[in-house]
Amino acid sequence: MKRLYRFWGVAVVMTTIFTACSEDINLPYTDNEKVYFEYEYQDPAWTSTHLVRRDSVVAAMGKLPSGVTQYEVKVPVKVLGAQLLQDKTYRVEVVDEGIVVKGKTTAVEGVHYLPLPEAHTFHAGTWTDTLRFTVLRSALSTSYVNRENRQLVLRISDAGELKPGLRDGWEMIVSLSNYISEPSWWTVWGLGFYHPEKYKILLMFADEQFYATTDLLNDSAGKRCVSAMRNYLRDNVVLDEETGKRVTFDSLVDIEEE
């Protein structure tokens, strides 16, 4: 008799658990129509597809033509749940300091970026849309030696039609710079010590005709770039604006020493 009672008790408990699980599964999904930041990029260390999730976007403006004073930043935004059936808006604010991401806002509105629009549209029928706003270049230093970086911490606001979704995607950092940083492949090509003026020279070679006749991943192409760089710096006086020294293939030198 005791065994019968025990079996009945277990059966009641299991029925209760299954019923509760069934009810949970049938509950409506309450996270629909929420949005969050998610920026993924291809890890350059992998030859196959290997996406890495990042909490920051870099707006590096040093390579832009000198006459370009503004730059449109694009930040990916995703919808949580089902795709929207109609366009809806969300709001993004610039905050002093992140609560999810590590960082503080050091850029100044009207100096380093234009005021963000009051609302942004997330379009129907898509999983990913784009937040767009404009940053300003003129107030940022071009110095590579004394590199200046400014940043904004963006946060999706509760005030929009679409609320913030996943906590990890509430915020995004946007970093601003106006110098030409050293690319990861510079030493691989054997282009000597890095200097922004040397990079500008390399860009001069990178026209359509050059790319049409050169395989940049081929060793002979790399040697061609090295030879062209050496010859250009030998035949033309290229100065470092900060020190007044001449840029050579291997270093900066005083003009009097030549």
Side-chain angles (χ1 to χ4, degrees):
M1 195 65 170
K2 290 182 179 178
R3 290 182 179 178
L4 181 60
Y5 282 133
R6 287 176 182 173
F7 176 79
W8 177 254
V10 172
V12 170
V13 172
M14 295 303 292
T15 302
T16 302
I17 292 174
F18 286 135
T19 302
C21 289
S22 177
E23 289 176 353
D24 286 344
I25 291 173
N26 291 328
L27 287 174
Y29 185 66
T30 58
D31 279 338
N32 279 342
E33 299 194 342
K34 292 186 177 182
V35 291
Y36 61 100
F37 294 122
E38 185 172 86
Y39 170 46
E40 295 179 322
Y41 81 109
Q42 170 65 32
D43 187 342
W46 288 64
T47 54
S48 59
T49 301
H50 186 259
L51 297 178
V52 178
R53 190 176 186 277
R54 297 191 59 173
D55 59 8
S56 63
V57 173
V58 178
M61 294 173 277
K63 299 176 188 176
L64 297 176
S66 58
V68 177
T69 59
Q70 300 183 353
Y71 180 77
E72 183 180 57
V73 175
K74 302 174 183 178
V75 183
V77 181
K78 292 190 175 182
V79 65
L80 188 63
Q83 294 180 352
L84 302 180
L85 298 179
Q86 60 183 19
D87 294 355
K88 291 195 174 183
T89 60
Y90 62 97
R91 296 192 179 192
V92 174
E93 56 187 343
V94 178
V95 296
D96 292 336
E97 185 173 0
I99 57 175
V100 178
V101 300
K102 294 182 180 180
K104 296 182 179 181
T105 293
T106 56
V108 179
E109 182 180 295
V111 177
H112 302 109
Y113 67 96
L114 296 180
L116 271 64
E118 183 175 343
H120 309 268
T121 300
F122 198 104
H123 297 89
T126 183
W127 297 110
T128 304
D129 215 317
T130 306
L131 165 70
R132 302 169 187 266
F133 67 97
T134 301
V135 295
L136 306 174
R137 184 183 183 187
S138 59
L140 291 167
S141 172
T142 60
S143 170
Y144 179 71
V145 176
N146 301 306
R147 286 170 277 186
E148 178 186 18
N149 292 279
R150 297 278 181 162
Q151 67 180 25
L152 298 83
V153 179
L154 305 179
R155 182 182 299 156
I156 298 174
S157 170
D158 284 319
E161 284 184 282
L162 299 172
K163 308 302 180 184
L166 300 174
R167 186 178 189 277
D168 287 347
W170 287 358
E171 297 171 344
M172 177 69 70
I173 294 176
V174 179
S175 298
L176 314 178
S177 68
N178 194 27
Y179 57 86
I180 304 178
S181 58
E182 180 178 351
S184 59
W185 43 260
W186 187 267
T187 55
V188 177
W189 280 20
L191 291 165
F193 96 106
Y194 177 76
H195 192 281
E197 293 298 328
K198 292 178 67 177
Y199 191 97
K200 293 177 184 178
I201 295 169
L202 193 63
L203 292 178
M204 291 169 51
F205 302 151
D207 56 20
E208 292 184 7
Q209 183 178 0
F210 181 84
Y211 277 114
T213 58
T214 306
D215 178 5
L216 295 180
L217 299 179
N218 187 288
D219 286 341
S220 61
K223 292 178 181 178
R224 180 180 173 185
C225 287
V226 170
S227 177
M229 177 74 72
R230 284 186 180 277
N231 292 339
Y232 187 92
L233 291 171
R234 181 196 62 202
D235 299 336
N236 298 272
V237 176
V238 178
L239 298 178
D240 172 60
E241 294 182 358
E242 292 185 73
T243 63
K245 294 184 177 183
R246 181 172 181 175
V247 180
T248 69
F249 187 84
D250 297 308
S251 64
L252 295 176
V253 299
D254 293 326
I255 296 181
E256 292 78 6
E257 296 178 358
E258 298 182 69

